[in-house]
Amino acid sequence: MRKLESWAFFVLFVCSSAIENGTSHENGSTYQILSFDFPAIETPFLVASWLILASAAKMAFHSKYFPDSSLLVVVGFILGWVFYNGFTWIKVQYYELESSYFFHFLLPPIIFDAGYFMPNRALFENFGSVLLFAVVGTVWNTMAIGSALYFLSLYEWFSVSFEIFEVLTFASLISAVDPVAVIAVFEEVHVNEFLFINVFGEALFNDAVSVVLYKMFRNFYDIGSESVQIVDYGKGMVSFFAISLGGTAVGIIFAFAVSLITKFSQNMRVLSPIFVFVLPYMAYLLADSMGMSSILAISICGIVMKQYVKGNLTPTGVNSVKYFTKMLAVGAETVLFMFLGVSAITSPHHFDWTFITCTIVFCLVFRTIGVIVQCTILNKFRKKKFSVIDQFILSYGGLRGAIAFGLSASLPDSMSTKPMFVTTTIAVIYFTVLLQGVTIRPIVNWLKVETKEDRQKTMTESIYTKYFDYTMSGIEDIAGIRGEHYIRDTYERLNAKILKPILMQNEAKKDFDASVIVRAYAKITLEEALHLKEQKKRKLDERLTIDRSAISDSSMDIHIPQERIRLISSSKTRLQKLEDISKQKQINETEELQDDYMAQINVANMRSQQNAPNSSQLQPSSSSANI
């Protein structure tokens, strides 16, 4: 014991001497056993700290009455004020969000999640309205807001004067309806799919259009309003389509690349999900480096590659991609809303309440006018009409968020109006996220807006939906009309004959892809069997409990046939086997059901036939019969 104490004292003495005095050398340096080098791990440590802090705040302040986005903005605002005024020794760059970090690290996972989990059928059925809202609506809002603000500036309503291209640049970024805020609010409200896909689809593609307009007007500002020539306006229009179509092409190319790589990566299944995340991110970066729409690139990549990747990956890989994508998106979204609150404290401000008020009013008024006019036009050509309540929700759901703030932060410092634009952008974000985001739930309930149904489609609904699609496409073909059903049928035939055999494994060329109907039938039949199993199991348990209690009660002279007890027991045994089969198939949720059910059912039937005894074994032998 004394030796141990002596050794411990010796080690403590050496460590203290090394840390405090060190071992002197001729050059004056000392040898240190332990050292603390925080600058070496500063950046990753701060990222991890913000992730933990934002996630803890989201769990702590989660409420069913207020959207998480609104609460996180408020928490971020309070946290930023405490850091800025109370903990002055903390560097401002530790809690200040740079635009490069936002566009390169936080935005990509959110947009990829939105594209990958986009309901393709609903998007296709409403593609015309979504495209009209995203393109025409954004251009209308940008030009209307910019022209109105510039007109008021001519009469010196504001404290800072600005040029036409300055205010148009600001109008383009303030017209960006943020998909992050829309997802955060509308998913909690559970509005119907028709309304959700129009608002969310517009928000997703509206951002891409806003970024294109932002780049175009910023280039005009760099040239100078006096130096801009007519040919520059023509180049601007060409760049609008080049940036949009270029980003779409990059997304499609990378989607096919991901599908091909996952098709031939069966020997390394663990690495397959890596390509699903890395290649879309590379598409985002490549499109951004070439001046194309990076938002369109990564969102289109997710939309196109989804059906092929799910067919190439294993069930475990599909679930891994699903949950990891959601984890990245929710984490980035949580940190983003926290920084939106902090940015109100750290950003340089110039408060012009007249400019702020006019901007908010113009955003509400011009969006409402645009929605009403566009819905009036669309209702003349649509089976599903936009009601007055739908138009109100579309107008009221134009939430601004991180996209607008990121673009305002990336304004050039040479622009004298940048502090006023940044302050106004933050004010508009707070108004839409806090006021509109908080009040949209009670408004939806008060107006009795149709909400999303929790039930799944029945077998009859799914089968007849597909049957109706084929019937309508045939009618359009006979009538010589090239409508949406004809386009869908043409794409499905192209997909079945060319794309799927090339991009997916175990896919042969098909003249008519009727396997969709078969898979839907098998899938829903299995779901209904599991649901019926649960109901019958509960009833059998209740009957068996009543029978046993009757038997155990000596005061009652009740005779229960043994045949009934054996029937109930055998029924429970069969239900238990069905439950074991469902667990073996790993069917936990409807969305996790695999596509090719017929293959799984055939394999199960083959195994049962192999395990079953032969018919000769079941029949009695001739000798035993004679006996």
Side-chain angles (χ1 to χ4, degrees):
M1 188 65 181
R2 292 182 178 178
K3 291 183 178 180
L4 183 60
E5 293 177 353
S6 301
W7 277 106
F9 177 77
F10 176 74
V11 171
L12 290 174
F13 174 76
V14 171
C15 291
S16 61
S17 300
I19 293 175
E20 294 180 2
N21 300 326
T23 304
S24 301
H25 296 279
E26 294 180 359
N27 58 3
S29 61
T30 60
Y31 177 83
Q32 294 181 350
I33 296 179
L34 300 176
S35 62
F36 184 68
D37 188 13
F38 181 73
I41 53 98
E42 180 178 1
T43 300
F45 186 82
L46 290 175
V47 172
S49 301
W50 272 110
L51 281 173
I52 294 175
L53 183 62
S55 301
K58 184 170 184 176
M59 290 187 296
F61 296 97
H62 177 73
S63 173
K64 64 179 181 179
Y65 300 105
F66 301 98
D68 290 340
S69 56
S70 304
L71 295 175
L72 288 173
V73 169
V74 175
V75 172
F77 179 83
I78 297 174
L79 196 63
W81 187 88
V82 171
F83 283 164
Y84 195 78
N85 297 285
F87 298 92
T88 55
W89 51 273
I90 299 179
K91 297 180 181 179
V92 177
Q93 55 265 31
Y94 287 173
Y95 52 91
E96 186 178 26
L97 179 63
E98 296 184 6
S99 60
S100 59
Y101 292 160
F102 164 71
F103 282 108
H104 292 160
F105 300 108
L106 293 179
L107 185 61
I110 298 173
I111 302 299
F112 176 70
D113 171 76
Y116 189 77
F117 293 101
M118 175 76 72
N120 289 356
R121 179 182 178 88
L123 178 63
F124 178 80
E125 291 177 348
N126 299 276
F127 187 73
S129 59
V130 168
L131 198 64
L132 185 66
F133 290 143
V135 179
V136 178
T138 305
V139 173
W140 155 255
N141 286 321
T142 299
M143 301 305 297
I145 294 173
S147 301
L149 291 175
Y150 181 73
F151 177 78
L152 294 180
S153 69
L154 297 178
Y155 294 92
E156 299 181 354
W157 276 44
F158 312 126
S159 59
V160 179
S161 59
F162 40 76
E163 299 178 357
I164 181 62
F165 291 122
E166 283 183 279
V167 72
L168 285 176
T169 303
F170 169 74
S172 63
L173 67 91
I174 209 63
S175 299
V177 178
D178 189 40
V180 182
V182 170
I183 292 174
V185 173
F186 275 75
E187 281 189 345
E188 296 181 12
V189 177
H190 299 292
V191 296
N192 60 82
E193 188 179 51
F194 168 73
L195 199 55
F196 176 79
I197 198 64
N198 278 280
V199 177
F200 174 58
E202 180 214 354
L204 181 62
F205 297 111
N206 159 278
D207 284 340
V209 177
S210 297
V211 173
V212 172
L213 293 174
Y214 172 83
K215 291 181 179 180
M216 183 177 68
F217 289 124
R218 182 174 171 177
N219 287 333
F220 288 155
Y221 168 77
D222 294 335
I223 296 173
S225 58
E226 298 179 354
S227 302
V228 175
Q229 300 178 359
I230 298 178
V231 67
D232 294 325
Y233 294 108
K235 292 180 179 179
M237 294 298 296
V238 173
S239 69
F240 178 85
F241 294 100
I243 293 173
S244 303
L245 298 178
T248 303
V250 170
I252 294 175
I253 292 172
F254 273 82
F256 289 163
V258 175
S259 303
L260 286 173
I261 292 176
T262 54
K263 177 182 178 180
F264 297 105
S265 61
Q266 296 304 306
N267 295 329
M268 296 295 293
R269 295 182 176 181
V270 179
L271 297 178
S272 298
I274 296 178
F275 301 104
V276 179
F277 298 109
V278 176
L279 286 178
Y281 183 62
M282 291 180 63
Y284 179 90
L285 297 177
L286 183 63
D288 185 59
S289 65
M290 294 189 298
M292 299 178 182
S293 176
S294 55
I295 296 177
L296 275 178
I298 194 170
S299 59
I300 294 296
C301 182
I303 292 173
V304 174
M305 77 179 193
K306 176 174 60 177
Q307 62 171 323
Y308 308 115
V309 167
K310 285 186 176 181
N312 293 332
L313 297 180
T314 61
T316 305
V318 172
N319 290 332
S320 300
V321 170
K322 169 188 171 182
Y323 289 111
F324 195 72
T325 302
K326 286 294 182 183
M327 182 197 70
L328 290 177
V330 172
E333 172 189 325
T334 303
V335 174
L336 203 52
F337 281 114
M338 284 280 290
F339 271 111
L340 284 178
V342 175
S343 62
I345 304 297
T346 59
S347 301
H349 294 294
H350 176 82
F351 286 93
D352 189 331
W353 294 107
T354 305
F355 187 80
I356 293 174
T357 304
C358 290
T359 302
I360 294 175
V361 171
F362 289 154
C363 287
L364 293 174
V365 171
F366 289 128
R367 177 173 176 82
T368 303
I369 295 173
V371 167
I372 292 175
V373 173
Q374 292 173 95
C375 288
T376 302
I377 297 174
L378 288 170
N379 285 340
K380 295 181 179 180
F381 305 97
R382 290 179 58 92
K383 295 181 297 182
K384 176 72 173 179
K385 309 293 184 182
F386 288 96
S387 64
V388 177
I389 296 178
D390 293 337
Q391 297 178 35
F392 175 78
I393 298 298
L394 285 169
S395 304
Y396 199 75
L399 307 179
R400 271 66 172 183
I403 300 289
F405 174 74
L407 292 175
S408 66
S410 64
L411 289 171
D413 295 332
S414 60
M415 188 178 291
S416 60
T417 54
K418 179 179 179 179
M420 184 177 69
F421 289 163
V422 172
T423 303
T424 306
T425 302
I426 294 174
V428 174
I429 293 172
Y430 274 45
F431 178 85
T432 57
V433 173
L434 294 180
L435 181 61
Q436 296 178 229
V438 170
T439 57
I440 194 168
R441 183 193 293 271
I443 289 176
V444 167
N445 295 331
W446 179 63
L447 294 176
K448 297 180 180 180
V449 178
E450 181 184 356
T451 57
K452 184 179 180 181
E453 295 183 356
D454 293 332
R455 71 175 183 88
Q456 300 295 327
K457 283 186 176 181
T458 63
M459 178 185 65
T460 304
E461 289 176 334
S462 299
I463 296 297
Y464 274 90
T465 298
K466 204 66 183 177
Y467 174 77
F468 179 77
D469 291 340
Y470 288 124
T471 303
M472 291 302 299
S473 64
I475 294 174
E476 289 181 352
D477 193 15
I478 294 173
I481 301 174
R482 299 296 183 262
E484 59 176 282
H485 298 283
Y486 174 83
I487 296 174
R488 182 193 291 115
D489 182 66
T490 303
Y491 169 74
E492 287 183 354
R493 293 181 182 275
L494 175 67
N495 198 28
K497 289 183 178 180
I498 300 176
L499 296 181
K500 281 188 176 180
I502 295 176
L503 302 176
M504 294 178 65
Q505 58 176 345
N506 302 327
E507 281 288 335
K509 182 179 178 180
K510 301 174 183 178
D511 293 331
F512 179 75
D513 190 15
S515 61
V516 179
I517 301 178
V518 178
R519 289 199 302 269
Y521 172 81
K523 168 183 172 181
I524 298 172
T525 302
L526 185 56
E527 290 176 354
E528 292 179 349
L530 293 176
H531 181 66
L532 184 61
K533 180 265 301 181
E534 294 294 336
Q535 293 180 344
K536 288 188 175 181
K537 186 177 180 182
R538 287 195 298 267
K539 292 181 180 179
L540 288 172
D541 289 337
E542 294 175 357
R543 292 179 182 177
L544 194 58
T545 302
I546 295 174
D547 293 343
R548 287 175 178 174
S549 62
I551 293 173
S552 61
D553 191 356
S554 59
S555 63
M556 298 178 63
D557 186 12
I558 299 177
H559 175 70
I560 300 177
Q562 295 295 326
E563 185 65 25
R564 180 180 178 183
I565 298 176
R566 285 196 300 269
L567 179 61
I568 295 175
S569 301
S570 61
S571 299
K572 290 192 65 177
T573 304
R574 290 194 298 269
L575 292 175
Q576 186 64 37
K577 289 182 180 180
L578 180 59
E579 185 176 1
D580 295 338
I581 293 174
S582 66
K583 290 180 179 179
Q584 183 179 0
K585 291 179 180 298
Q586 297 180 353
I587 302 174
N588 299 323
E589 297 177 356
T590 303
E591 61 184 355
E592 293 179 2
L593 291 170
Q594 301 305 312
D595 290 334
D596 198 356
Y597 282 93
M598 292 307 298
Q600 297 181 10
I601 294 173
N602 291 334
V603 171
N605 292 334
M606 292 175 61
R607 290 179 179 175
S608 62
Q609 292 176 4
Q610 292 175 0
N611 296 331
N614 296 328
S615 60
S616 60
Q617 296 177 357
L618 294 176
Q619 297 176 355
S621 61
S622 60
S623 59
S624 60
N626 294 329
I627 294 175

